[in-house]
Amino acid sequence: MADTPIRTRPPAAHDTDLIVVGGGPAGCAAARMAASVGMRSILIEPDSLCRNLHRIGALNNVLGGHTSGPALADAITAELESTESCRLELGRRVVALGAGDDRVTATLDSGRRLTAPYAVVATGVGPLQPGDVPWITASGGLTLPPLWEADGDDTEGRALLVLGGDRPIGTFLRAHPDTGTRLLVAYPEADAYKIEEIRDDPRVTLLPVSHLTLGVSGAGAVTADLVIRHGARRTVTADAVYLSVGSAPVAPAGDLVREADGYCPPGAQHPRITVAGDLRSARFQRVMTAMGSGGEAALRAYYAARELPVG
């Protein structure tokens, strides 16, 4: 579908109608929606578009017939690259975001500044490490790979200790439906709601814990001392260990309102900034909700620019 003809041009003082910070599903959806209502946008992304989708081997919650993250990423990228009213600034990071009475200013890592009447911030989240969570003790600032980096062929027939019950576990199992890999999933009480989709999978052993102390030998073998409910203890061994402890928000410095956990609630932001995608909340981190929120964010900017009610 061709883009709607542009109805208004931004004032000369602005570089574009809408600045989009982040090139994941939410940011891409925002830029595409902006184009559909005649707004020009500049999308700023330090990496490639939809980079994190390439880690999702199997999808079961998106429309359009895409069954893997890479396939969806390729489709989104192709569509956005063909959107003439969206200018891509790839390989650049927003280091500061400022909101004023009549504009938003994004300062790039190159020192250049871009301005627009409105901005959508969709920078998402990044993976946590053992030192970031209180229920894991690991010596020496140990850094571990997230589960989405585990290769199905390399892990075939092995026992993997997975720390945390976050959603990539279900993704791994769907991506490798015939795998003989066994997953020993150690998770805290706070993750109990996350493990419902894997609870009945015969390849999974659930290990609810209040604390875990991890040891990794030079040969790569893993030993974990678990403190289970009511103070009982248990030791488990595995061939390798991976993380699924969740993510932390990644947001540019500047005029964004953050909660104690680092997330940026949309309703608390400056009227010229809308937060979309995973940056909003840990509870709604899904591809479909991210894309929907990105499209809605662009529409909010469109209505605000024309002084139309949003509700």
Side-chain angles (χ1 to χ4, degrees), residues 27-306:
C28 290
R32 192 65 190 89
M33 178 62 77
S36 74
V37 295
M39 297 178 73
R40 296 189 297 177
S41 65
I42 297 175
L43 186 152
I44 306 159
E45 164 59 43
D47 209 292
S48 58
L49 294 179
C50 294
R51 175 180 61 90
N52 285 340
L53 280 180
H54 286 275
R55 75 188 193 188
I56 303 177
L59 286 174
N60 67 346
N61 62 350
V62 299
L63 299 173
H66 301 290
T67 58
S68 74
L72 179 59
D74 290 344
I76 292 174
T77 298
E79 183 158 351
L80 202 61
E81 287 178 342
S82 68
T83 302
E84 294 183 0
S85 54
C86 175
R87 188 175 108 205
L88 299 177
E89 289 278 348
L90 302 181
R92 290 298 178 193
R93 186 182 304 276
V94 173
V95 296
L97 192 70
D101 291 338
D102 65 344
R103 70 183 61 197
V104 176
T105 302
T107 303
L108 306 187
D109 50 6
S110 64
R112 188 157 57 102
R113 293 185 176 183
L114 299 172
T115 64
Y118 297 93
V120 173
V121 183
T123 45
V125 295
L128 293 170
Q129 286 292 325
D132 298 321
V133 293
W135 60 277
I136 299 175
T137 298
S139 61
L142 181 65
T143 298
L144 297 172
L147 182 61
W148 55 264
E149 290 186 359
D151 183 270
D153 293 335
D154 293 341
T155 59
E156 177 63 32
R158 306 177 74 199
L160 308 183
L161 175 63
V162 181
L163 306 184
D166 218 41
R167 284 176 289 273
I169 301 173
T171 300
F172 177 87
L173 293 170
R174 288 191 297 273
H176 308 287
D178 300 318
T179 184
T181 303
R182 294 184 299 115
L183 302 184
L184 311 176
V185 180
Y187 64 95
E189 185 68 28
D191 279 5
Y193 75 97
K194 299 179 181 179
I195 53 88
E196 290 303 319
E197 67 172 327
I198 63 172
R199 180 180 296 278
D200 297 325
D201 195 301
R203 297 165 293 178
V204 173
T205 299
L206 296 175
L207 302 169
V209 302
S210 59
H211 195 81
L212 179 149
T213 302
L214 184 69
V216 181
S217 72
V222 178
T223 300
D225 294 319
L226 314 180
V227 178
I228 311 173
R229 295 168 185 168
H230 310 300
R233 292 180 177 271
R234 176 178 176 181
T235 299
V236 299
T237 59
D239 299 305
V241 59
Y242 289 89
L243 287 173
S244 192
V245 295
S247 303
V250 179
D255 294 335
L256 280 174
V257 177
R258 296 165 172 80
E259 295 182 325
D261 58 6
Y263 286 95
C264 302
Q269 305 306 320
H270 190 280
R272 293 191 176 275
I273 296 176
T274 303
V275 175
D278 292 356
L279 191 59
R280 300 171 301 159
S281 166
R283 291 276 180 167
F284 297 99
Q285 293 181 1
R286 295 287 196 277
V287 175
M288 284 284 279
T289 57
M291 295 176 71
S293 72
E296 181 183 351
L299 282 179
R300 285 182 175 275
Y302 171 78
Y303 293 140
R306 288 151 184 79

